[in-house]
Amino acid sequence: MSKMFREKGVPSRWLATPAITAIMTMVGASAFLSMPAVAEEEDSLGIEEVVVTARKIQESSQDVPIAITAISMERLESATIRDLVDLNGFAPNVQIDEDGSRGGGGANITIRGISPTRSDDNSFDSPIGVMIDGIFLGSLAGQVLENFDLAGVEILRGPQGTLFGKNTVGGVVHVKRSRPTGEFGGKVRVTLGQYGQQEFRGVLNTSVVDDVLALKLFGTSQKDDGFMRNITTGSDVSDKDYQNYGATVLFTPNDDFEATLTIEKFKDNSGLGAFQTNYNTAPGVLPVPTDPNETDYSGGFVNCLVAPYTCRNDLSRPRNSESDTDNAAELETDAITLNMSYSINENLTLQSITGYRELDEYRIYDFDASSRPFITIERFNEFEQFSQELILNGEFDRVSFTTGLYYWNSEFEQDWATGGEFWRSLFGAVVDNPGGYGACLAGAFAPIACDPGLTSIPTGDVLQILFETQETTSVAVFAQGDYRVTDKLTLTAGLRWTEEKKEFVAGQSYLTSEARQFNRAFQDYADLENTWTELSPKAGITYNLTDDAILYL
């Protein structure tokens, strides 16, 4: 669903039309849902305690001296919260949007006015960290996580660099999934609706070895036909085709040690945002409409100046799309997460968080959004990340601390191809290149190079080729501690040291044919490398005004 569709306040197709939602619960589901025990009447009127891990330790959200919004499992059970985008309005100064030009739930998150420089390119780091079960997601693709079987979501506003590290200048969105219960039970949700909507979600918990090894199996499938028609291709627009399935194993051999391993797969072949559509195409690309009832605005801004004056003057959603290319995307993600915890003694706990993710991403979209093949952009992207974090937590009479080590490595490789009549309109019907690169650079095409393996490019088959790859390696050491001066007054200090190295290589653009778009026949490459070091300090003071209110700086 597009950003515009949500922001306009128009009910989604799941809410605007009657939908059938059946929730079938098997034996033991009450334990799985972890519903709170019934409290005495006087306690029910108080503030419910929500346990968070915003500072790498478990503590009540009411005691955390940072701007945090904690959304509990009970709140997430609401059928209106389908994914992270539906959390808009729960936390102040937070806007979670889906990037319509990036498939697989590409996110564009703004916290306190801080947002990504670009949300479509992996070489740009987002200043908002999105994490799932303690693992930082290095690519914006797949960050709009689906809401099912979640134990809670924590939204931290403001810089979190001391404990969470780089790329958290604006804040952190931390998603936590439910733990295996070790008891047989589960839940199934089936949702049917308009436009061919069919959604199936299920979780099954069981015990493999009583009190030692618990297993959770989970799966989600979402499909629909889309709610708009492409009148040029005859296809449905913004269709949904999403699957996520996997298993989580909880190993608890004794009271001091536990390990949680999750192996899962995401497949998202949903269409890109329906609102990659033409509102006012540049003059000359398409003829000016002559029908006074026509509202596709395909004649460009010139329509504002000549009768029947069909220039767009409002933000109404168009009834149809008219792109010559269906905006399609594919994202396949394999993920492994291992969390381990060991209680050294009653004061010290050691944690290990290991994560690996591999993404294979593809998307193609009609950039001019008209029925003419003017500009079409196609991207192939492979992304891989590995992270390892070791954390030591200490809790003593008046002192508590968190210290740790962090390692990160990621690599990506992206091929771009931009095709259509745009290049022909610039350089002529046929691109001749009899003299190879030299003639191309000296001729009418300068400063764009030409494929040296071609002497000419057929009409309508001109593509601009781009390529980039980057490897990022980051290491960090951090520590943060609290000193309770009195029962009401606490002082906080922290420091993080980070060293990061990036190696970036990009192929300079050149023109070629569709048949040779993957040859990477670049004349030259931009080869960049740099290393940065950074200290991220923190100092704070917290004063407990009452049992339910704190003041912090």
Side-chain angles (χ1 to χ4, degrees):
M1 193 182 313
S2 76
K3 171 183 175 182
M4 182 182 296
F5 198 58
R6 294 179 187 269
E7 287 186 342
K8 287 289 289 179
V10 181
S12 73
R13 59 182 179 276
W14 300 281
L15 301 179
T17 59
I20 303 171
T21 301
I23 302 177
M24 295 168 284
T25 306
M26 291 180 283
V27 178
S30 60
F32 170 80
L33 293 175
S34 301
M35 297 297 288
V38 178
E40 295 183 6
E41 184 175 354
E42 59 268 22
D43 291 337
S44 66
L45 300 178
I47 299 176
E48 179 187 357
E49 182 180 63
V50 178
V51 177
V52 298
T53 56
R55 299 197 297 171
K56 304 285 188 178
I57 56 175
Q58 292 191 352
E59 53 188 339
S60 171
S61 62
Q62 295 153 226
D63 299 330
V64 180
I66 59 176
I68 179 174
T69 298
I71 304 168
S72 65
M73 174 186 285
E74 290 72 29
R75 182 70 64 86
L76 292 170
E77 288 290 326
S78 169
T80 60
I81 305 177
R82 299 176 51 80
D83 53 39
L84 291 187
V85 174
D86 291 322
L87 296 181
N88 285 323
F90 281 80
N93 299 316
V94 176
Q95 181 70 33
I96 303 175
D97 292 317
E98 189 168 356
D99 185 345
S101 67
R102 188 162 194 171
N108 193 345
I109 303 175
T110 301
I111 298 181
R112 291 181 174 177
I114 298 177
S115 60
T117 303
R118 287 185 61 170
S119 59
D120 63 340
D121 190 338
N122 282 332
S123 64
F124 288 80
D125 291 327
S126 171
I128 311 297
V130 177
M131 306 179 71
I132 182 166
D133 292 337
I135 302 300
F136 177 84
L137 305 186
S139 171
L140 296 182
Q143 284 191 358
V144 180
L145 299 168
E146 197 255 346
N147 174 34
F148 186 66
D149 189 38
L150 297 186
V153 177
E154 301 169 8
I155 301 176
L156 287 61
R157 303 183 299 279
Q160 308 296 329
T162 304
L163 287 178
F164 288 91
K166 71 187 189 73
N167 302 333
T168 58
V169 176
V172 172
V173 178
H174 189 192
V175 177
K176 298 183 295 181
R177 286 179 288 197
S178 69
R179 290 160 51 92
T181 64
E183 299 181 13
F184 181 75
K187 61 180 179 180
V188 175
R189 177 179 295 169
V190 179
T191 305
L192 305 175
Q194 198 177 13
Y195 305 107
Q197 180 188 7
Q198 299 179 10
E199 300 183 1
F200 305 92
R201 299 173 175 85
V203 174
L204 176 65
N205 274 281
T206 188
S207 174
V208 180
V209 179
D210 288 345
D211 300 324
V212 175
L213 194 62
L215 173 66
K216 181 184 77 171
L217 303 175
F218 57 90
T220 295
S221 174
Q222 300 180 43
K223 292 187 178 182
D224 65 58
D225 299 331
F227 58 95
M228 184 183 285
R229 191 74 172 173
N230 187 330
I231 59 177
T232 303
T233 65
S235 303
D236 293 320
V237 172
S238 194
D239 58 302
K240 186 78 172 180
D241 185 2
Y242 169 89
Q243 293 87 39
N244 168 225
Y245 50 88
T248 300
V249 177
L250 174 62
F251 179 54
T252 53
N254 52 56
D255 294 337
D256 297 326
F257 177 81
E258 71 170 40
T260 305
L261 174 66
T262 298
I263 301 175
E264 61 183 324
K265 190 178 194 70
F266 300 84
K267 295 182 68 175
D268 196 339
N269 296 333
S270 305
L272 295 177
F275 298 98
Q276 299 284 20
T277 54
N278 166 46
Y279 282 130
N280 286 308
T281 306
V285 175
L286 293 176
V288 177
T290 56
D291 184 349
N293 297 318
E294 187 173 349
T295 56
D296 64 1
Y297 316 113
S298 59
F301 293 108
V302 69
N303 286 5
C304 304
L305 307 176
V306 299
Y309 307 109
T310 56
C311 180
R312 178 170 64 102
N313 57 14
D314 61 52
L315 295 177
S316 299
R317 178 170 65 91
R319 293 187 297 270
N320 297 298
S321 167
E322 60 179 47
S323 301
D324 64 279
T325 299
D326 289 326
N327 300 325
E330 298 175 8
L331 177 66
E332 187 169 316
T333 304
D334 296 303
I336 301 174
T337 303
L338 175 62
N339 283 274
M340 296 185 290
S341 176
Y342 175 66
S343 296
I344 300 174
N345 53 45
E346 62 181 8
N347 302 113
L348 298 173
T349 302
L350 181 64
Q351 289 180 274
S352 172
I353 304 174
T354 308
Y356 173 80
R357 296 175 74 88
E358 183 177 349
L359 286 73
D360 192 352
E361 182 183 6
Y362 168 79
R363 58 196 190 273
I364 182 171
Y365 51 96
D366 187 20
F367 192 75
D368 61 280
S370 72
S371 58
R372 287 279 292 274
F374 195 60
I375 302 180
T376 301
I377 298 179
E378 190 175 23
R379 295 186 179 184
F380 301 81
N381 198 322
E382 296 179 356
F383 180 88
E384 186 176 10
Q385 69 172 68
F386 172 81
S387 62
Q388 174 63 57
E389 186 171 23
L390 294 175
I391 303 171
L392 178 65
N393 290 317
E395 181 68 41
F396 297 90
D397 183 27
R398 290 195 172 274
V399 175
S400 59
F401 66 85
T402 296
T403 184
L405 304 172
Y406 186 78
Y407 172 82
W408 168 274
N409 179 263
S410 64
E411 296 183 58
F412 80 85
E413 187 174 276
Q414 182 166 240
D415 289 280
W416 301 13
T418 304
E421 297 175 346
F422 174 75
W423 304 109
R424 189 177 65 182
S425 68
L426 289 182
F427 303 133
V430 179
V431 179
D432 293 318
N433 185 30
Y437 272 125
C440 183
L441 292 173
F445 315 130
I448 300 181
C450 295
D451 188 336
L454 294 175
T455 58
S456 65
I457 302 176
T459 300
D461 191 25
V462 184
L463 278 73
Q464 181 201 35
I465 305 302
L466 299 143
F467 167 77
E468 63 181 28
T469 181
Q470 178 174 282
E471 180 177 5
T472 302
T473 303
S474 180
V475 294
V477 181
F478 61 91
Q480 181 170 304
D482 291 339
Y483 176 68
R484 290 174 284 277
V485 181
T486 68
D487 291 339
K488 291 183 174 292
L489 181 65
T490 301
L491 302 179
T492 301
L495 186 66
R496 186 185 190 98
W497 175 85
T498 303
E499 180 179 87
E500 178 165 293
K501 180 180 180 180
K502 287 190 175 184
E503 300 173 85
F504 176 81
V505 175
Q508 305 286 40
S509 65
Y510 70 94
L511 301 180
T512 190
S513 65
E514 183 176 356
R516 292 175 56 85
Q517 65 174 309
F518 301 115
N519 286 13
R520 294 181 183 169
F522 294 99
Q523 180 189 23
D524 198 5
Y525 288 86
D527 192 349
L528 308 174
E529 179 181 322
N530 207 344
T531 301
W532 299 264
T533 58
E534 183 72 22
L535 288 176
S536 304
K538 178 172 183 175
I541 183 171
T542 305
Y543 186 79
N544 291 358
L545 295 174
T546 68
D547 291 340
D548 298 324
I550 62 174
L551 180 67
Y552 64 90
L553 174 67

